[in-house]
Amino acid sequence: MDDPSVSADFHARPRLPKGGELRTSRLLLRPARADDVDVYTRLWTDPEVRRFLGGPVDSDRLRLRRQRFDSRPHVFSVTAAERAEVIGTVSVDVAERHTGRWEVAYSFLPEHWGRGYGREAVAAVVGWVLETAPARDASVIAVTQEANVRSRRLLEAVGMRLRERFVEFGAPQVLYGVERGDRREQRRTTGSD
């Protein structure tokens, strides 16, 4: 994959902590490994997970994704801290289709929905980008279908706000975003740090 630090006027990728991992109170987000590919295959083919993502990935695209699985930077496998089982994924990359802004994407296995894992993991990745990206690059977006109410609630819960509406892939979409200054303002007005 091309290095976005040389495209879209980005100077550098956000820097990961030593070991390449992010931690929350309940989760470990670590770089995806080759032995995670079976869980990712399930995420790519599960009709419920893919409901708002164009449906399950077809067999040709699935084969290519499996072959190129370990070549994507900033793809995190999310595990519950008390066990090593992968429960989902969060990734962040430059979205050329949206003027080169950092875009976060995520999916979790259905049996782990409703426990706040997605919100916690996405908040960790968004916070990491906003804290470590160069100031001119310190913004994150996420796109979901307008009908995906659960995902929209998650994005709002991590401090992202609705910025745009548009139609893509034959369905109404919404783009949420947050910038480093937005997070500071939220902390100031809510009194939280």
Side-chain angles (χ1 to χ4, degrees), residues 146-165:
E146 189 169 347
N148 192 346
V149 175
R150 290 177 74 145
S151 186
R152 294 181 68 184
R153 283 189 200 134
L154 181 153
L155 296 171
E156 291 168 1
V158 302
M160 298 181 96
R161 298 293 170 243
L162 180 62
R163 306 280 195 209
E164 297 175 31
R165 295 174 188 272

Side-chain angles (χ1 to χ4, degrees), residues 44-63:
W44 296 328
T45 59
D46 184 289
E48 192 58 26
V49 171
R50 301 287 304 172
R51 180 176 174 200
F52 297 104
L53 297 169
V57 173
D58 66 46
S59 59
D60 290 336
R61 284 182 43 221
L62 182 61
R63 182 179 44 75

Side-chain angles (χ1 to χ4, degrees), residues 1-191:
M1 178 170 280
D2 292 336
D3 182 358
S5 66
V6 297
S7 65
D9 296 325
F10 277 75
H11 294 291
R13 287 184 174 275
R15 295 187 189 270
L16 281 168
K18 191 172 184 168
E21 299 174 342
L22 300 174
R23 292 182 183 272
T24 70
S25 61
R26 300 185 302 160
L27 304 173
L28 169 66
L29 288 74
R30 59 162 174 77
R33 302 186 303 232
D35 61 340
D36 298 335
V37 74
D38 290 338
V39 173
Y40 280 72
T41 298
R42 185 168 165 221
L43 290 167
W44 296 328
T45 59
D46 184 289
E48 192 58 26
V49 171
R50 301 287 304 172
R51 180 176 174 200
F52 297 104
L53 297 169
V57 173
D58 66 46
S59 59
D60 290 336
R61 284 182 43 221
L62 182 61
R63 182 179 44 75
L64 287 173
R65 284 185 180 194
R66 289 178 62 91
Q67 288 173 348
R68 298 178 182 161
F69 179 72
D70 60 354
S71 65
R72 291 187 56 210
H74 295 131
V75 176
F76 298 97
S77 290
V78 180
T79 66
E82 70 275 359
R83 57 189 191 277
E85 171 191 10
V86 176
I87 62 174
T89 180
V90 180
S91 64
V92 64
D93 209 343
V94 173
E96 295 298 334
R97 66 191 177 123
H98 295 290
T99 63
R101 294 177 279 182
W102 291 107
E103 182 174 8
V104 67
Y106 47 89
S107 60
F108 287 80
L109 296 170
E111 61 267 26
H112 299 287
W113 292 358
R115 299 179 188 175
Y117 293 141
R119 178 189 40 76
E120 193 171 326
V122 171
V125 171
V126 168
W128 161 65
V129 172
L130 293 178
E131 291 168 15
T132 63
R136 64 182 273 172
D137 302 333
S139 66
V140 180
I141 62 165
V143 176
T144 189
Q145 279 192 24
E146 189 169 347
N148 192 346
V149 175
R150 290 177 74 145
S151 186
R152 294 181 68 184
R153 283 189 200 134
L154 181 153
L155 296 171
E156 291 168 1
V158 302
M160 298 181 96
R161 298 293 170 243
L162 180 62
R163 306 280 195 209
E164 297 175 31
R165 295 174 188 272
F166 56 96
V167 175
E168 187 176 46
F169 309 118
Q173 309 286 326
V174 287
L175 182 144
Y176 280 77
V178 64
E179 296 179 13
R180 185 178 288 157
D182 296 340
R183 301 259 302 197
R184 287 186 188 131
E185 180 63 20
Q186 289 169 358
R187 286 187 200 118
R188 189 183 65 71
T189 59
T190 63

